[in-house]
Amino acid sequence: MPFVCILSTCKRAVLGQLLSLNVPTIQWLCHESQLLCFSSVLFESQGDVKCFFFFSSFLPADIISTVEFNYSGELLATGDKGGRVVIFQREQESKNRPHSRGEYNVYSTFQSHEPEFDYLKSLEIEEKINKIRWLPQQNAAHFLLSTNDKTIKLWKISERDKRAEGYNLKDEDGRLRDPFRITSLRVPVLMPMDLMVEASPRRIFANAHTYHINSISVNSDHETYLSADDLRINLWHLEITDRSFNIVDIKPANMEELTEVITAAECHPHQCNVFVYSSSKGTIRLCDMRAAALCDRHTKFFEEPEDPSSRSFFSEIISSISDVKFSHSGRYMMTRDYLSVKVWDLNMENRPVETYQVHEYLRSKLCSLYENDCIFDKFECCWNGSDGAIMTGSYNNFFRMFDRNSRRDITLEASRESSKPRAMLKPRKVCTGGKRKKDEISVDSLDFNKKILHTAWHPKENVIAVAATNNLYIFQDKIN
Ligand SMILES: *[C@@H]1O[C@H](CO)[C@@H](O)[C@H](O)[C@H]1NC(C)=O
Ligand SMILES: *[C@@H]1O[C@H](CO)[C@@H](O)[C@H](O)[C@H]1NC(C)=O
């Protein structure tokens, strides 16, 4: 799977301002500010800043916390720790710029969530975007759901390229006209203007989660969606904000009896009555809403018996599932735990049909990963468009891809050094004991601060988006 880099990183904090500046100013800004650095930036000076972005910011608020393609892959949304959403749009093919196909440019950026304070509990509510989910497009506008720990918002993103002019009672700049000077009536007309992309909050779904929301998932009926926190799952109607139905509640009467929490949940891609949720004990429950309104009793229970020989102090922590995703076909699901990715057939509950080791070499390092809290990192995983390959992240800005048919796997690195625009990504190898070969990196020199938790795969093509802390990389299959 050869991949080339087509766009590296996005600005973030200052992007809104950057887009309105001209090129010399940007260069000045980048040199003067310690917050930004850039290299190999290619500009198109047609008013807009386009082409390869290579900005990166070192602000903690800029850490990317979620990445999600829309259903056709033309749009890509990212959310960050600072509560912002940035949407990228894929460049259309053009005759005079034959290589432009595939480049994603910033389309819209807006503040989705603000920091809040819960006065009753004396708790700060972070603005960090935990998840973004697109709704299928139904008219000219785009809709997406974004959530932080507590509140889900439905955003409408729409374009405007016309403006009404020739009002009777006010000037073009909005000032009221002197009524005595109005001698004739005008008919207002629509005039073309520069394209503007506006994001407006359409619905706010609040006050339904006591614990932190970890997942949202749009149902295949396109009318409802679910939201999951540590102990409960709620079902919402997209039009109704003041109530939701509690469909799973695992909160014990006595909190001291709590032994597991919900870690992720997702709706089945085709059957709107079916959903799954995973737990911190490494199990997955499939529920059918037709069987009962409250799905505390699951329909299927997926669990792999533990191998007693590999049992250790860390067994329970590393078996916790950080992500669950149905395949596009709806026949399989994939789960990510700390060291592996597993593919389950929905018709087989007692073991996964495939298991892929992501970074087995860390098994001997679990003690230090526990001490530096890395063992609690929540890695996500994703399928490619035809379910033939899967991808998930690792440390040192490495990410892994597994081809399900050939059982081949590859480790790639998302870093500025290794991914110049249009450069081929070289497979990386981690040396596990023995003599280290040239090009190999030893387990001890891996950087655990550089982790790839969030990745997304274009639904139709070999284009992937990889979030490496505060940088976004988009790679695509090398054509010709
Ligand atoms: C995804 O976004 C593109 C670009 O605006 C749009 O043309 C397409 O219809 C969207 N796809 C879906 C299925 O929502
Ligand atoms: C998904 O991966 C498989 C295996 O590598 C490949 O054959 C297939 O073309 C890929 N599908 C898409 C839509 O990229």
Side-chain angles (χ1 to χ4, degrees):
M1 284 176 265
F3 277 86
V4 294
C5 178
I6 50 168
L7 173 145
S8 331
T9 317
C10 59
K11 47 19 34 150
R12 332 249 342 145
V14 279
L15 190 102
Q17 300 151 32
L18 285 182
L19 286 177
S20 61
L21 300 173
N22 57 28
V23 176
T25 329
I26 292 172
Q27 282 165 351
W28 173 84
L29 204 137
C30 294
H31 287 305
E32 294 295 303
S33 163
Q34 289 307 302
L35 295 176
L36 285 170
C37 71
F38 80 116
S39 63
S40 58
V41 185
L42 249 145
F43 291 107
E44 290 240 317
S45 47
Q46 294 166 334
D48 268 4
V49 186
K50 283 205 179 121
C51 258
F52 305 109
F53 278 100
F54 214 109
F55 293 102
S56 80
S57 145
F58 306 113
L59 290 172
D62 294 336
I63 293 173
I64 299 172
S65 51
T66 181
V67 229
E68 186 80 7
F69 281 105
N70 84 340
Y71 289 83
S72 65
E74 298 300 303
L75 295 178
L76 172 72
T78 65
D80 70 20
K81 210 158 174 290
R84 278 163 308 219
V85 172
V86 180
I87 300 173
F88 297 86
Q89 185 180 41
R90 197 176 203 190
E91 191 91 329
Q92 293 302 306
E93 208 145 12
S94 87
K95 283 200 191 69
N96 38 12
R97 296 178 58 225
H99 294 295
S100 67
R101 178 86 187 134
E103 281 163 26
Y104 284 79
N105 294 315
V106 175
Y107 177 64
S108 169
T109 150
F110 60 94
Q111 187 75 33
S112 167
H113 286 69
E114 304 273 358
E116 280 177 74
F117 195 77
D118 180 339
Y119 290 95
L120 275 180
K121 299 204 187 89
S122 239
L123 275 180
E124 226 161 318
I125 304 169
E126 264 190 289
E127 65 273 34
K128 176 177 152 240
I129 308 293
N130 292 345
K131 285 277 152 39
I132 291 177
R133 289 290 177 261
W134 290 93
L135 266 63
Q137 192 175 16
Q138 266 150 10
N139 52 34
H142 296 282
F143 288 88
L144 60 78
L145 291 169
S146 63
T147 187
N148 68 352
D149 286 342
K150 298 282 182 241
T151 307
I152 305 149
K153 294 186 181 176
L154 174 69
W155 288 91
K156 176 185 181 184
I157 294 105
S158 50
E159 294 185 354
R160 199 145 63 100
D161 59 1
K162 288 192 181 63
R163 141 182 96 208
E165 274 182 17
Y167 287 108
N168 288 292
L169 298 178
K170 58 182 183 190
D171 282 340
E172 302 320 340
D173 50 14
R175 261 177 309 173
L176 286 182
R177 292 170 70 195
D178 179 359
F180 297 103
R181 308 248 308 272
I182 302 173
T183 52
S184 62
L185 280 181
R186 299 192 286 186
V187 178
V189 287
L190 285 177
M191 297 297 285
M193 62 171 208
D194 285 348
L195 182 71
M196 247 175 74
V197 183
E198 296 171 319
S200 48
R202 273 319 164 95
R203 308 251 183 282
I204 295 178
F205 307 88
N207 306 323
H209 286 278
T210 313
Y211 305 95
H212 290 354
I213 299 175
N214 52 46
S215 312
I216 44 176
S217 175
V218 179
N219 207 342
S220 56
D221 60 13
H222 301 160
E223 284 187 353
T224 56
Y225 73 91
L226 64 77
S227 59
D229 68 27
D230 301 324
L231 297 178
R232 296 193 180 104
I233 302 178
N234 293 330
L235 183 71
W236 301 84
H237 192 283
L238 280 163
E239 300 288 333
I240 301 166
T241 56
D242 61 356
R243 73 198 114 101
S244 62
F245 294 96
N246 179 230
I247 50 174
V248 173
D249 187 347
I250 64 163
K251 186 170 185 245
N254 177 359
M255 276 299 258
E256 276 164 27
E257 285 159 22
L258 184 69
T259 56
E260 69 180 320
V261 294
I262 299 168
T263 53
E266 194 180 50
C267 296
H268 189 278
H270 314 302
Q271 288 164 271
C272 63
N273 51 301
V274 173
F275 68 96
V276 288
Y277 67 92
S278 60
S279 94
S280 54
K281 279 196 161 166
T283 60
I284 311 114
R285 289 171 175 86
L286 184 135
C287 303
D288 187 340
M289 289 186 266
R290 284 182 310 192
L294 185 64
C295 296
D296 282 350
R297 295 244 296 279
H298 51 264
T299 308
K300 291 188 181 189
F301 182 72
F302 300 83
E303 184 178 32
E304 185 171 32
E306 194 191 10
D307 173 6
S309 66
S310 65
R311 183 148 185 97
S312 78
F313 173 72
F314 303 108
S315 300
E316 194 165 324
I317 305 177
I318 62 171
S319 65
S320 175
I321 293 176
S322 48
D323 197 15
V324 57
K325 293 269 168 64
F326 277 109
S327 62
H328 295 84
S329 68
R331 163 93 195 261
Y332 301 98
M333 65 185 170
M334 158 168 66
T335 56
R336 172 72 209 261
D337 54 54
Y338 192 58
L339 295 179
S340 64
V341 183
K342 292 172 183 165
V343 175
W344 305 77
D345 186 325
L346 294 194
N347 299 316
M348 191 159 88
E349 293 164 63
N350 60 349
R351 66 183 164 84
V353 284
E354 293 153 37
T355 300
Y356 301 96
Q357 301 305 335
V358 178
H359 37 214
E360 185 60 20
Y361 45 78
L362 295 183
R363 199 176 279 278
S364 59
K365 294 250 166 290
L366 292 178
C367 208
S368 45
L369 291 163
Y370 179 77
E371 270 159 22
N372 63 15
D373 277 348
C374 283
I375 202 166
F376 301 106
D377 284 336
K378 293 184 135 226
F379 291 98
E380 292 173 6
C381 50
C382 61
W383 299 88
N384 86 338
S386 50
D387 301 334
I390 56 190
M391 169 170 61
T392 191
S394 179
Y395 292 103
N396 206 56
N397 278 354
F398 287 173
F399 58 98
R400 303 266 290 146
M401 287 173 147
F402 304 94
D403 186 311
R404 296 180 60 209
N405 287 325
S406 65
R407 292 296 177 117
R408 279 208 299 231
D409 65 284
I410 190 169
T411 303
L412 298 170
E413 180 180 6
S415 79
R416 260 185 294 168
E417 297 74 41
S418 71
S419 44
K420 303 252 165 46
R422 311 216 164 267
M424 284 279 284
L425 283 185
K426 278 204 289 292
R428 304 296 313 256
K429 268 215 156 55
V430 177
C431 154
T432 53
K435 202 165 173 297
R436 190 166 66 88
K437 294 199 207 78
K438 196 172 141 274
D439 284 353
E440 284 189 353
I441 172 161
S442 105
V443 184
D444 296 312
S445 45
L446 294 176
D447 185 344
F448 292 106
N449 291 317
K450 292 184 178 162
K451 41 191 126 183
I452 291 179
L453 303 176
H454 317 283
T455 58
W457 208 317
H458 188 295
K460 299 198 172 72
E461 292 172 36
N462 258 335
V463 174
I464 55 170
V466 175
T469 330
N470 37 22
N471 297 328
L472 175 71
Y473 295 88
I474 299 174
F475 301 107
Q476 94 174 347
D477 206 354
K478 192 167 164 63
I479 316 153
N480 61 63

